[in-house]
Amino acid sequence: MSASRTRAVARGVVFIHSTPVSLCPHIGWALESVLGQPVHLEWTKQPVAPGFVRTEFSWAAEPGTGARLTTALRGWDGVRYEVTEEPTPGCDGSRWASTPDLGIHHTWTNASGDAVVNEDRLRSVVIASGGDPEKFRAEVAELLGTAWDLELEPFRYAGDGATVRWLHRVS
């Protein structure tokens, strides 16, 4: 008797917060290459950055796809984006945030979308701070991606009449 096994399906969202219009087809092709299927993206003007556009795309694929999507999008000038992957059995969730100035930041997330910090990373923050409370605060802010949230927050708001999806916000 053979038991059939079902594969876990991860779900997530790609948020392109701002990109030059000239990169829109390339972004679509990059997403298609990772997902192995056609992707239809609806681009709208990004009110925070005139001349730039924004989109979001929900995806479902095998766990680990969020990291592959993030890698496919990295390195293009002027692109601000976030990729989320919800937790699945045996896999943590994740959020990747990327800005032209800061690069990519990765945070593990739980089912509620809260950042999860593993004990080794927390220990390294304690050691690096050397008991200095200000240095500790700065190290924790880096660990949580506060600079990325601060830079991306104005871009997260959708245009007039569009749906707004809120991500976990680190304060």
Side-chain angles (χ1 to χ4, degrees), residues 13-76:
V13 181
V14 174
F15 298 90
I16 306 296
H17 294 299
S18 71
T19 185
V21 175
S22 61
L23 290 178
C24 292
H26 301 282
I27 289 171
W29 297 329
L31 298 177
E32 288 176 351
S33 72
V34 171
L35 296 170
Q37 64 187 27
V39 171
H40 175 70
L41 301 174
E42 293 183 30
W43 297 96
T44 59
K45 292 180 182 177
Q46 173 48 270
V48 175
F52 283 63
V53 292
R54 66 184 315 279
T55 193
E56 59 185 64
F57 175 76
S58 296
W59 59 269
E62 66 185 32
T65 298
R68 290 189 296 280
L69 290 166
T70 300
T71 300
L73 294 172
R74 88 181 223 206
W76 287 329

Side-chain angles (χ1 to χ4, degrees), residues 29 43 49 82 89 107 110 114 142:
W29 297 329
W43 297 96
E82 290 179 272
T107 304
N110 65 17
D114 294 321
E142 174 73 21

Side-chain angles (χ1 to χ4, degrees), residues 145-167:
T146 301
W148 284 262
D149 282 328
L150 290 173
E151 185 172 329
L152 290 173
E153 190 61 25
F155 293 91
R156 289 178 176 148
Y157 293 94
D160 290 340
T163 302
V164 175
R165 249 187 239 197
W166 292 99
L167 297 176

